[in-house]
Amino acid sequence: MGCDVLTSSMQLIQKEYLALLKKYEHFDTDEAYSIQNECRIFWLRHKREIDFFLNNYPCDFDTCTFIGGMYLNVANKRELPFFSFGKKHISDDPVAMLVAVGPQEHLAGYLKKSIEDDIEIIQKYNGKIFVLPLSYLFVDKNLVLQSADNAFWHLFADSTINKDSFLNKFSSVNDVIESIGEDAGWGLFLRYEKPTLKERYLEHLEMMHIPICDGKEGVNQFYHLCIGLFAQATAVMEFCINYRTFPFIRDRSLFGYFCLFLANLIHISNECLAEWKIILNKAVVHNLFYRVFEYEELENLETFFKTLKDTEFETAVLEQMRKQNVDCSEPGSFAKINTILINEMNARGMPCCE
């Protein structure tokens, strides 16, 4: 009964938000900032109700959150991998979380896609996916930045390196990358299929259309790019730990930083190890599943969801991990999980790439 009351309350808020979003399906570029502000004010008015919901609805890391990404992209069926793990599902509202940088045209283009996606989620899945301002209202920004900074310094074997000494110690980005090393930097810029950290970093700059800086400017550039991704990873981790959920992280670079950060915490701390490992394990499984699952080929969605439920797909994958003693904070675990996923998917006739 309690859970029904919680979901009914959130469903009403979702309908109110849907009405607001529908006002702005079409808008002029110069309205972008005011639209985002109006949406943020809407969430601020409901902050107390949402906080109560988040503290009582998710439980035992069975709730999957799409957080740290952009928009879910329902138009391209990307909600299907999201739905495949977890008993409950919450999506971080991209309209609220966007930090406006650069030309207003960029913000307007992003808002348009985000609003379209939110509308489609609420209309199709109200009560199954809740769109809520997770990172905007429920993540401590100061703690995130401090933790991101600490995570960056932990990449270096030299424990004396800090923000003050960083620029003095290194004269080029090559020096920084060499000091970090391939072992410590395995999770950095993981999106790019390159064997070395330097190659992945240079490809990141190219793909983001960022000019390569030389000398001290290059050192500073590397720091700020890493801090940005560590900050996103920290925000994801903070929310998941506080509200006992696990994340669906599609972006491989963010995923790499998240895994690196959380794995390092597990190795240096004796606190909350069991809960942290649950979050890390489920995040890894979900990301790898997204990469092997050819969800675009699915036609009969009802049959797919029935198969997931009837054959207890998620439980079977996690049980195989337990039997094989797979720990995602240890090297070599990703390959083992890939094998487990593909075997379980093949057994159920789920389309996947091997």
Side-chain angles (χ1 to χ4, degrees):
M1 178 65 71
C3 192
D4 290 340
V5 172
L6 284 172
T7 56
S8 296
S9 172
M10 283 303 105
Q11 283 176 281
L12 289 175
I13 291 175
Q14 299 286 286
K15 289 178 181 178
E16 287 181 40
Y17 193 48
L18 176 63
L20 174 60
L21 293 172
K22 279 185 165 291
K23 287 170 51 181
Y24 300 117
E25 285 186 276
H26 309 284
F27 60 86
D28 295 329
T29 297
D30 59 5
E31 298 178 285
Y33 290 120
S34 61
I35 290 171
Q36 186 184 44
N37 286 337
E38 187 173 350
C39 291
R40 286 177 168 179
I41 289 169
F42 172 88
W43 289 128
L44 284 167
R45 289 203 309 268
H46 292 288
K47 184 178 188 298
R48 181 179 295 181
E49 297 162 83
I50 298 169
D51 186 46
F52 182 80
F53 172 80
L54 290 175
N55 278 292
N56 291 277
Y57 181 68
C59 60
D60 298 328
F61 301 101
D62 281 334
T63 300
C64 181
T65 58
F66 179 64
I67 182 171
M70 297 180 85
Y71 48 91
L72 190 56
N73 203 345
V74 176
N76 291 326
K77 295 185 179 180
R78 295 199 182 186
E79 80 277 21
L80 299 184
F82 177 49
F83 261 143
S84 300
F85 284 87
K87 296 178 181 176
K88 305 168 185 176
H89 299 84
I90 305 173
S91 179
D92 193 7
D93 180 23
V95 174
M97 75 175 178
L98 176 63
V99 177
V101 293
Q104 189 167 202
E105 289 79 6
H106 292 174
L107 173 64
Y110 179 84
L111 272 181
K112 182 178 183 299
K113 293 178 181 178
S114 300
I115 288 170
E116 289 173 353
D117 201 55
D118 277 358
I119 288 173
E120 193 152 7
I121 291 172
I122 296 172
Q123 287 185 155
K124 284 187 176 180
Y125 300 111
N126 190 10
K128 295 181 179 179
I129 301 177
F130 290 107
V131 176
L132 297 173
L134 308 181
S135 55
Y136 174 58
L137 291 183
F138 302 102
V139 171
D140 185 327
K141 309 302 187 295
N142 291 328
L143 177 61
V144 162
L145 291 175
Q146 181 181 347
S147 299
D149 218 42
N150 290 337
F152 182 74
W153 307 128
H154 274 101
L155 291 173
F156 299 90
D158 183 354
S159 61
T160 65
I161 294 178
N162 55 38
K163 196 168 186 177
D164 294 329
S165 64
F166 181 63
L167 283 174
N168 292 327
K169 183 177 179 65
F170 301 111
S171 58
S172 71
V173 71
N174 286 338
D175 295 340
V176 177
I177 290 174
E178 184 177 342
S179 181
I180 292 173
E182 297 301 330
D183 289 339
W186 68 267
L188 306 183
F189 307 104
L190 199 62
R191 177 191 301 177
Y192 309 101
E193 304 289 345
K194 300 291 185 181
T196 69
L197 172 55
K198 182 178 179 180
E199 288 176 300
R200 295 196 302 274
Y201 175 63
L202 292 177
E203 188 166 351
H204 177 76
L205 294 179
E206 181 181 349
M207 293 295 292
M208 300 299 291
H209 304 290
I210 300 173
I212 300 172
C213 295
D214 297 322
K216 297 287 187 183
E217 288 187 7
V219 173
N220 199 41
Q221 181 182 53
F222 184 86
Y223 166 77
H224 283 290
L225 287 171
C226 285
I227 287 296
L229 284 163
F230 269 131
Q232 283 184 276
T234 307
V236 172
M237 188 183 71
E238 184 196 336
F239 180 85
C240 290
I241 288 174
N242 285 344
Y243 292 100
R244 299 178 64 80
T245 74
F246 68 95
F248 175 41
I249 304 174
R250 287 196 311 232
D251 183 88
R252 286 207 70 205
S253 286
L254 176 58
F255 170 70
Y257 276 76
F258 174 84
C259 293
L260 183 63
F261 192 8
L262 194 48
N264 285 344
L265 281 181
I266 288 170
H267 289 149
I268 65 176
S269 175
N270 291 321
E271 300 178 7
C272 305
L273 281 183
E275 293 188 352
W276 291 356
K277 284 188 176 183
I278 291 172
I279 293 172
L280 179 60
N281 286 347
K282 289 195 172 186
V284 171
V285 169
H286 212 167
N287 179 272
L288 297 181
F289 175 71
Y290 171 71
R291 286 158 53 191
V292 301
F293 180 30
E294 295 182 335
Y295 51 89
E296 301 93 337
E297 295 184 10
L298 286 177
E299 295 181 0
N300 192 324
L301 302 187
E302 289 186 10
T303 300
F304 169 68
F305 288 121
K306 187 174 187 302
T307 298
L308 288 178
K309 182 178 179 181
D310 291 350
T311 65
E312 298 185 319
F313 173 67
E314 179 179 0
T315 301
V317 170
L318 296 175
E319 177 61 17
Q320 284 299 317
M321 288 174 61
R322 187 193 65 78
K323 286 181 178 179
Q324 298 180 33
N325 198 28
V326 177
D327 180 350
C328 292
S329 64
E330 299 297 334
S333 59
F334 288 18
K336 295 177 182 177
I337 292 172
N338 254 338
T339 300
I340 291 171
L341 282 169
I342 290 169
N343 287 342
E344 294 295 334
M345 293 171 76
N346 284 335
R348 292 162 175 79
M350 296 165 61
C352 64
C353 54
E354 301 189 20

